Amino acid sequence: MQGIRNTLDKTLNLDQLRSFGLVIETGSFSAAADRLGLTQPAVSLQVRQLERRLAVRLVERVGKRAKATPAGAELLRHSHHIETAVENAIDALADHASGVTGRVRLGTGATACLYFLPAVLRSLREQFPALGIVVSTGNTDDHVRKVEENSSDLALVTLPAAGRSLSVVPVLDDEFVAIGRSDLAPLKARVAPADLAALPLVLFEPAANTRKLVDRWFADEGLQPQPVMELGSVEAMKEMVAAGLGYGIVPRMAMTGRGAHPGLKISRLAPRMHRTLAVVIRRDKPVNKALRVVLDAILAAGAQASRATRPKK
């Protein structure tokens, strides 16, 4: 035990630790190599070197998947804390540097990435050219998990988003609207669940929080939609509706500005349905200059969008 402890104190390699963690997460050396941008032999070598340094076997093959041994599972329990401690140290030091530099890892949904974030990111690039922002898209559950694991710094997601270690800050409310082709049995100006339930519907895929909101909107009226298509992309949904294959329910932001579609007609929903976009971040995350300017820019853009869509008295 003392020998292992001495080894950890002196030669624990964070790159090797990261490779090992991704092998277990993905269940494959080749998949981990793809995520890291390395070759499979390079990842295998890193894991073998880590095993030799710790004098224990960390990975075993169960069927076709790579699994953690008991010793590997124990190391994984500590690895997230190790990575977080290193990230926190780097973030803390960044505050001593002049200007705004560094990298911020931001997760979000596809709709917000297409219609909300571009203006925010352009403004940040113009103001802080040395700031790097890495954006990834996915669903709320995946982004919440990545923030909790500290593999993302923050995420802009559709509520609900829960986690004991998370701080959740609402950004804006985004109303939903129904869409259909303006020349094929156009919808009324306001439509209720009963107006849409019997129609062919193009909806979000079931895993999306936005789809859960849509299903709840119908369920409150005792209805259950039977979609003809379930898609993960709001742009794909709009194109399917424009092709006359059905009617859709999408966030209003997807139909404004550059998202406007000349062949589609918008109808308000009655009762009103909306989603809340919020920023999630770890409560113990040090907010350095880079992270602060990104967070402030998102909140400011959300406030501006809310003012622009607020009904006039």
Side-chain angles (χ1 to χ4, degrees):
M1 179 61 71
Q2 186 63 38
I4 292 177
R5 188 173 291 115
N6 289 341
T7 301
L8 277 169
D9 289 344
K10 297 177 180 177
T11 61
L12 183 61
N13 184 295
L14 293 177
D15 290 336
Q16 294 170 358
L17 191 63
R18 174 69 172 157
S19 294
F20 162 65
L22 279 175
V23 168
I24 301 305
E25 178 185 331
T26 62
S28 163
F29 281 86
S30 59
D34 287 341
R35 292 270 291 273
L36 291 165
L38 300 174
T39 64
Q40 180 178 338
V43 172
S44 299
L45 177 61
Q46 286 185 332
V47 174
R48 286 199 304 272
Q49 289 173 336
L50 184 60
E51 289 178 324
R52 283 199 296 269
R53 284 173 172 167
L54 299 180
V56 291
R57 188 178 180 192
L58 300 173
V59 181
E60 61 185 355
R61 188 166 294 280
V62 179
K64 294 184 177 181
R65 288 186 63 84
K67 299 280 189 178
T69 64
E74 184 68 22
L75 179 59
L76 278 178
R77 279 200 323 111
H78 297 281
S79 64
H80 294 313
H81 300 299
I82 295 170
E83 291 179 357
T84 298
V86 172
E87 288 281 349
N88 290 348
I90 293 172
D91 290 343
L93 289 174
D95 281 338
H96 295 278
S98 60
V100 177
T101 62
R103 184 184 67 164
V104 174
R105 301 161 300 177
L106 169 63
T108 192
T111 303
C113 186
L114 284 171
Y115 306 112
F116 177 76
L117 282 177
V120 176
L121 298 177
R122 181 179 65 247
S123 177
L124 286 169
R125 172 64 62 86
E126 292 171 351
Q127 295 179 68
F128 311 107
L131 172 64
I133 303 175
V134 180
V135 180
S136 61
T137 59
N139 61 47
T140 292
D141 290 342
D142 287 341
H143 286 313
V144 167
R145 176 179 55 81
K146 290 178 180 178
V147 170
E148 289 181 315
E149 295 174 352
N150 203 42
S151 57
S152 287
D153 297 307
L154 75 164
L156 177 65
V157 297
T158 300
L159 295 184
R164 288 178 297 177
S165 63
L166 297 178
S167 174
V168 179
V169 184
V171 174
L172 81 156
D173 284 342
D174 185 26
E175 184 182 10
F176 280 76
V177 294
I179 58 173
R181 268 181 58 161
S182 54
D183 61 341
L184 292 179
L187 298 171
K188 298 181 297 183
R190 286 183 178 270
V191 293
D195 298 319
L196 294 174
L199 298 176
L201 294 176
V202 179
L203 299 180
F204 285 99
E205 59 189 1
N209 268 11
T210 45
R211 172 61 184 277
K212 296 171 187 175
L213 294 173
V214 171
D215 287 346
R216 192 176 305 124
W217 185 72
F218 280 102
D220 287 344
E221 300 295 323
L223 300 169
Q224 183 175 357
Q226 300 295 326
V228 295
M229 291 187 186
E230 298 175 315
L231 302 171
S233 163
V234 70
E235 280 301 303
M237 292 170 63
K238 288 160 61 176
E239 290 303 320
M240 294 301 174
V241 173
L245 299 177
Y247 300 84
I249 299 176
V250 299
R252 178 181 281 277
M253 73 164 57
M255 295 296 296
T256 58
R258 295 177 63 184
H261 196 297
L264 298 178
K265 178 180 179 292
I266 294 176
S267 299
R268 301 286 296 273
L269 299 181
R272 180 177 182 267
M273 178 171 58
H274 74 280
R275 63 175 183 162
T276 300
L277 291 178
V279 165
V280 295
I281 187 170
R282 283 183 63 101
R283 295 183 187 275
D284 59 354
K285 182 75 174 178
V287 180
N288 60 21
K289 292 179 181 178
L291 189 52
R292 171 52 60 193
V293 298
V294 174
L295 182 57
D296 287 348
I298 291 173
L299 294 176
Q304 181 179 1
S306 296
R307 288 193 297 270
T309 57
R310 191 175 296 145
K312 294 186 170 87
K313 295 182 180 180

